[in-house]
């Protein structure tokens, strides 16, 4: 093979994604969905993309075409670590699982045990992921592939950027995406001392956060570019209100910080082809949505009547999502709106889980609750409901509201973060704004939330034509990953010399 054949057959941009979650191998939230959808979208633009994640038992069981491609040692782990290569069941995107049984093969959650307590060795678990990522990036993991760009996601990947920067090895461009600044991976320095890090990193101000060792801060300080998952959130996190103590760092790095608003997988979340819902429908023919609603009413034990309103909540039960406010306000809302029934699917805070379970028992037939993680049910809720009751004290992007809109369920949501970037507000009163897809409110309190639900209920009752127009606009909203992947490519382009092969390849892909 001549030299030019070799260059032609090897895509000049090779991206290693580093993440703790990829749907459907492992998921606790939107991070998994993004890390499942972005790589195929980048591959569609000609980028060679591989994703590295921990080898949790479910991931090892679900990955297709599994093959051990390398076996390496790490001082933090006894016994060899295997790198298992394969594909996710839903796409052709290559994934590498880090199979370190003592760290990842356990019963329980990705980050917590079955009682919801953080695994005590989380620092080691994700440091090992990052050390392997850095070794792959340096071509030192025994693989026949190495990236020229590393893209880390959330605190679990943060140390990768520090290790690359401090290694002094060949420079690999790197981008760090913050999906949620509130999860920081902060550990006592004694814990960090056990991570066998380069001595420089041990004492560096870049990893110190109020006396602790911070994986997230490492990512923010060492990455060449920082992105967040919506434009609005990229601005918000430079302020003390949303900065979680890191706004100073982010203001200092503002020149390399930008937001790319998450898209959604339009195939997986497609009411015209969804295998999990009772009837298929589309923006052009929405008859199936009524069938989905009736089926959902039967499934949840609600009165079967299409004229009633179903409000739903499909999210982690967390302070971030204002689940406490929803729980407190529900009794009032149910009394005020006799035609409203509410279904809550979510797990998280144990007190909130108990609270919702008690309310569902006391108001059965009008409130339904399940604390299981149930992906098909999430689809059925979006398909059968009318309203998504999605408060958020902060929201880096939010996918749930985008899924709801695609299924013609209108979000009631707080005017923050990605909710602002993705929802077109109807306005608080009077005629509905043209193009509106949801109802936004400002204050993070029960009164503002109630007022927004009242407004939504009033539009549905008294302005049915405008309601239908909103449903139509919500379902037709363009949320494709292709556009978002192009934005990431634009960011990647800035990491290569202007005339280099990768820069030219990106230019061509974007042309
Ligand atoms: P976050 O990542 O902050 O949790 P997102 O809105 O970005 O919020 O993504 C949440 C994802 O998790 C959505 O796909 C949502 O449907 C899903 N989800 C949350 N809780 C559950 C649950 N109990 N069962 C099924 N899906 C859930
Ligand atoms: C985080 C955020 C959420 C975002 C998701 C995917 O979990 O809380 O807003 O949509 O990551 O980027």
């Amino acid at each position: 093979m001549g030299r030019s054949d070799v260059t032609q057959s090897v895509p000049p941009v090779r991206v290693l994604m580093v993440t703790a979650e990829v749907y459907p191998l492992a998921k606790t939230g939107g991070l998994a969905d993004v890390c499942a959808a972005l790589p195929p979208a980048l591959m569609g633009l000609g980028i060679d993309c591989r994703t590295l994640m921990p080898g949790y038992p479910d991931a090892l069981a679900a990955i297709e075409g599994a093959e051990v491609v390398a076996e390496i040692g790490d001082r933090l782990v006894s016994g060899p670590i295997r790198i298992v290569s394969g594909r996710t069941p839903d796409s052709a995107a290559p994934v590498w699982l880090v199979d370190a049984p003592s760290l990842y093969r356990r019963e329980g959650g990705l980050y917590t045990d079955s009682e919801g307590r953080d695994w005590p060795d989380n620092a080691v678990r994700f440091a090992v992921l990052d050390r392997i990522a850095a070794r792959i990036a340096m071509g030192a993991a025994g693989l026949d592939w190495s990236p020229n760009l590393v893209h880390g996601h959330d605190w679990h990947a943060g140390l990768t950027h520090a290790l690359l920067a401090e290694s002094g090895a060949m420079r690999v461009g790197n981008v760090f995406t913050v999906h949620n600044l509130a999860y920081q991976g902060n550990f006592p320095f004694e814990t960090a001392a056990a991570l066998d890090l380069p001595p420089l990193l041990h004492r560096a101000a870049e990893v110190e956060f109020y006396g602790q060792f911070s994986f997230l801060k490492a990512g923010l300080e060492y990455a060449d570019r920082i992105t967040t998952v919506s434009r609005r959130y990229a601005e918000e996190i430079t302020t003390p209100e949303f900065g979680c103590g890191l706004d100073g760092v982010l203001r200092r790095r503002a020149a390399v910080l930008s937001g790319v608003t998450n898209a959604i997988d339009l195939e997986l979340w497609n009411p015209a082809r969804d295998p999990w819902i009772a009837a298929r429908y589309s923006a052009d023919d929405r008859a199936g949505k009524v069938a989905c609603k009736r089926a959902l009413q039967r499934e949840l034990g609600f009165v079967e009547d299409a004229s009633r309103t179903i409000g739903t909540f499909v999210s982690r039960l967390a302070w971030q999502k204002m689940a406490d406010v929803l729980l407190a306000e529900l009794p009032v809302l149910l009394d005020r709106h006799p035609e409203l029934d509410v279904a809550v699917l979510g797990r998280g805070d144990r007190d909130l889980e108990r609270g919702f379970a008690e309310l569902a028992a006391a108001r059965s037939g009008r409130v339904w609750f399940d604390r299981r993680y149930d992906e098909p049910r999430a689809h059925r809720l979006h398909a059968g409901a009318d309203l998504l009751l999605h408060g958020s004290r902060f929201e880096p992007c939010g996918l749930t509201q985008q899924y709801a809109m695609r299924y013609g369920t209108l979000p009631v949501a707080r005017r923050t973060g990605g909710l602002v970037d993705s929802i077109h507000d109807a306005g608080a009163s009077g005629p509905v704004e043209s193009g509106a897809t949801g109802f936004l409110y400002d204050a993070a309190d029960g009164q503002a939330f109630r007022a927004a639900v009242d407004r939504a209920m009033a539009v549905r009752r008294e302005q049915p034509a405008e309601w239908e127009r909103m449903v139509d606009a919500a379902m037709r909203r363009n949320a494709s990953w292709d556009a978002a992947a192009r934005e990431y490519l634009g960011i990647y382009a800035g990491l290569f010399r202007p005339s280099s092969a990768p820069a030219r390849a990106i230019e061509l892909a974007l042309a």
Side-chain angles (χ1 to χ4, degrees):
M1 205 190 260
R3 217 186 129 69
S4 58
D5 299 328
V6 174
T7 28
Q8 266 167 23
S9 63
V10 180
V13 185
R14 298 182 306 277
V15 179
L16 178 71
M17 299 275 174
V18 187
T19 177
E21 303 186 17
V22 177
Y23 177 83
L25 303 178
K27 171 169 169 178
T28 65
L31 170 67
D33 292 4
V34 173
C35 290
L38 177 58
L42 288 169
M43 286 165 66
L45 294 168
I47 306 302
D48 180 2
C49 192
R50 321 269 165 121
T51 302
L52 187 75
M53 66 173 277
Y56 312 110
D58 288 350
L60 284 162
I63 196 166
E64 290 184 348
E67 189 191 344
V68 177
V69 288
E71 224 175 59
I72 45 181
D74 186 294
R75 276 198 291 269
L76 299 183
V77 182
S78 61
I81 298 173
R82 300 180 315 156
I83 298 186
V84 180
S85 157
R87 290 173 313 280
T88 64
D90 295 330
S91 81
V95 172
W96 280 329
L97 300 180
V98 178
D99 184 19
S102 62
L103 299 183
Y104 309 127
R105 284 211 214 176
R106 352 178 136 157
E107 293 297 313
L110 308 186
Y111 316 115
T112 59
D113 64 18
S114 34
E115 298 302 309
R117 286 177 302 238
D118 281 351
W119 292 116
D121 58 348
N122 269 345
V124 177
R125 295 174 77 232
F126 293 104
V128 167
L129 176 74
D130 296 358
R131 286 154 71 102
I132 305 265
R135 279 167 72 178
I136 294 175
M138 290 183 252
L143 295 164
D144 58 2
W145 184 94
S146 67
N148 45 14
L149 203 154
V150 172
H151 188 160
H153 296 266
D154 268 354
W155 75 262
H156 324 98
L159 207 50
T160 311
H161 302 283
L163 291 169
L164 285 175
E166 295 294 347
S167 70
M170 181 189 68
R171 264 321 258 136
V172 177
N174 62 89
V175 176
F176 182 54
T177 294
V178 180
H179 295 257
N180 197 330
L181 202 66
Y183 297 96
Q184 305 189 332
N186 297 333
F187 300 94
F189 258 95
E190 305 83 81
T191 313
L195 297 181
D196 184 34
L197 300 172
L200 211 59
L201 262 185
H202 239 191
R203 289 176 296 275
E206 283 83 352
V207 296
E208 190 273 338
F209 184 62
Y210 293 102
Q212 293 202 296
F213 182 93
S214 172
F215 278 56
L216 182 72
K217 191 173 171 203
L220 296 179
E221 291 279 9
Y222 285 103
D224 296 327
R225 295 280 188 286
I226 305 165
T227 72
T228 65
V229 288
S230 70
R231 267 174 230 205
R232 173 63 74 108
Y233 191 62
E235 289 162 17
E236 288 173 344
I237 56 177
T238 61
T239 67
E241 188 187 350
F242 293 98
C244 300
L246 288 161
D247 45 293
V249 175
L250 289 159
R251 279 196 298 279
R252 180 160 45 73
R253 301 222 66 204
V256 297
L257 166 68
S258 57
V260 178
T261 303
N262 284 337
I264 57 173
D265 185 328
L266 296 177
E267 282 309 304
L268 199 59
W269 295 90
N270 180 0
R273 279 214 275 271
D274 192 323
W276 285 325
I277 62 179
R280 257 54 59 197
Y281 61 98
S282 66
D284 292 330
D285 178 2
R286 299 211 304 269
K289 184 159 172 74
V290 180
C292 287
K293 180 174 191 173
R294 288 181 174 281
L296 186 66
Q297 286 169 326
R298 279 197 299 278
E299 178 180 340
L300 307 184
F302 292 167
V303 172
E304 195 182 326
D305 174 354
S307 70
R308 294 183 64 75
T309 300
I310 302 182
T312 188
F313 177 94
V314 188
S315 278
R316 291 179 288 118
L317 293 185
W319 185 84
Q320 174 188 345
K321 307 289 180 186
M322 283 173 65
D324 51 326
V325 173
L326 176 66
L327 179 61
E329 293 304 324
L330 266 184
V332 183
L333 285 172
L334 293 171
D335 290 346
R336 232 149 118 154
H337 301 288
E339 74 277 32
L340 175 69
D341 302 319
V342 175
V344 175
L345 176 64
R347 63 195 315 174
D349 183 289
R350 292 298 148 109
D351 288 337
L352 289 172
E353 287 182 0
R354 255 192 306 279
F356 279 108
E358 280 165 18
L359 185 67
R363 307 295 296 261
S364 85
R366 294 210 47 208
V367 177
W368 175 93
F369 169 67
D370 196 337
R371 69 172 294 277
R372 263 173 300 203
Y373 197 93
D374 188 341
E375 199 78 28
R377 179 98 75 177
H379 287 238
R380 293 204 293 281
L381 288 172
H382 289 310
D386 304 288
L387 279 179
L388 181 80
L389 307 175
H390 189 84
S392 281
R393 289 191 167 87
F394 64 93
E395 196 57 73
C397 180
L399 299 175
T400 305
Q401 82 282 2
Q402 300 196 60
Y403 298 147
M405 287 187 278
R406 176 104 166 119
Y407 282 67
T409 290
L410 304 181
V412 173
R414 193 163 162 252
R415 201 184 305 278
T416 185
L419 299 171
V420 181
D421 289 0
S422 58
I423 300 169
H424 185 152
D425 182 26
S429 58
V432 164
E433 261 198 43
S434 147
T437 59
F439 304 89
L440 296 178
Y441 60 95
D442 285 299
D445 61 33
Q447 198 185 344
F449 170 62
R450 237 181 294 134
V453 176
D454 289 348
R455 162 77 164 148
M457 295 297 287
V459 172
R460 181 157 150 74
R461 217 171 25 236
E462 292 149 26
Q463 298 161 269
E466 289 178 284
W467 176 275
E468 293 304 323
R469 264 201 299 282
M470 287 184 74
V471 172
D472 186 72
M475 289 189 71
R476 291 185 196 277
R477 173 180 173 267
N478 181 12
S480 98
W481 266 109
D482 181 62
R486 285 170 188 275
E487 287 188 53
Y488 278 110
L489 268 194
I491 291 165
Y492 294 169
L495 300 176
F496 297 102
R497 275 178 294 108
S499 56
S500 62
R504 283 206 314 275
I506 292 179
E507 224 173 87
L508 276 178
L510 291 177

